[in-house]
Amino acid sequence: MSGPLLDRIDIFSFVNDVTFKQLFGEKNTDNESSESIQKRVKSARKIQRDRFKKYGFYCNSDMKEDHIKKFCKLTNATSRILELVYTKYHLSTRACNKILKLSRTIADLDNAKNIDKKHIMEAIQYRKFLNDNII
């Protein structure tokens, strides 16, 4: 797929094969429950609805560039991380904006007011494509 087409996809996620033992062995009790995840998602969606109620849309993915600048403010350290990735992988503006919007969503899921280093790093991980190239 071409870069401009890939720029329009928000999240890339590659999953390793599941072994027989993982599939039929003992269950991992360290995983977050579906109910807990559902609560975090509902909370994040409410945060976004409240944030954007006067703008005529309701979720981070609908943000335009001026909204991104207003609602996706980064610390100097977080900005530096994004700058390094942007420069190293020659990201397009669209790809960079997708990372920012996704970072905002991850921060909302974390119930965090600001985008932190861990939020931007997780968003960057979701932009990884084949051979660890980031797009």
Side-chain angles (χ1 to χ4, degrees):
M1 290 204 293
S2 70
L5 182 60
L6 291 170
D7 274 353
R8 287 163 173 77
I9 299 172
D10 290 346
I11 299 174
F12 301 98
S13 182
F14 294 93
V15 181
N16 294 326
D17 292 338
V18 177
T19 66
F20 185 84
K21 187 174 181 177
Q22 290 170 319
L23 190 59
F24 294 105
E26 290 184 29
K27 295 203 184 250
N28 183 349
T29 58
D30 295 336
N31 293 334
E32 184 177 11
S33 72
S34 295
E35 293 81 16
S36 174
I37 294 169
Q38 182 182 32
K39 285 179 186 176
R40 288 192 311 117
V41 169
K42 284 182 177 181
S43 175
R45 291 182 69 82
K46 182 181 181 332
I47 289 167
Q48 292 173 39
R49 274 193 313 275
D50 292 347
R51 177 185 299 132
F52 300 126
K53 62 185 168 192
K54 68 179 183 180
Y55 295 98
F57 59 94
Y58 65 95
C59 63
N60 292 335
S61 65
D62 293 329
M63 284 191 282
K64 303 294 183 220
E65 198 157 336
D66 55 329
H67 303 117
I68 293 169
K69 288 179 181 175
K70 181 172 184 167
F71 297 111
C72 298
K73 297 196 185 284
L74 303 176
T75 64
N76 287 339
T78 308
S79 181
R80 183 71 182 130
I81 291 167
L82 185 57
E83 180 184 7
L84 289 169
V85 171
Y86 179 84
T87 303
K88 180 176 181 177
Y89 294 102
H90 310 286
L91 295 181
S92 68
T93 303
R94 180 178 280 127
C96 191
N97 284 340
K98 291 221 179 255
I99 290 171
L100 287 169
K101 290 191 256 186
L102 187 53
S103 298
R104 178 69 266 164
T105 299
I106 295 166
D108 291 342
L109 285 166
D110 212 13
N111 201 23
K113 182 178 179 181
N114 298 312
I115 296 171
D116 196 10
K117 180 179 174 181
K118 67 182 180 179
H119 304 131
I120 199 98
M121 294 297 291
E122 184 176 343
I124 289 167
Q125 290 297 310
Y126 291 131
R127 294 297 300 180
K128 281 190 152 190
F129 199 61
L130 299 175
N131 300 324
D132 284 335
N133 290 326
I134 296 176
I135 53 171

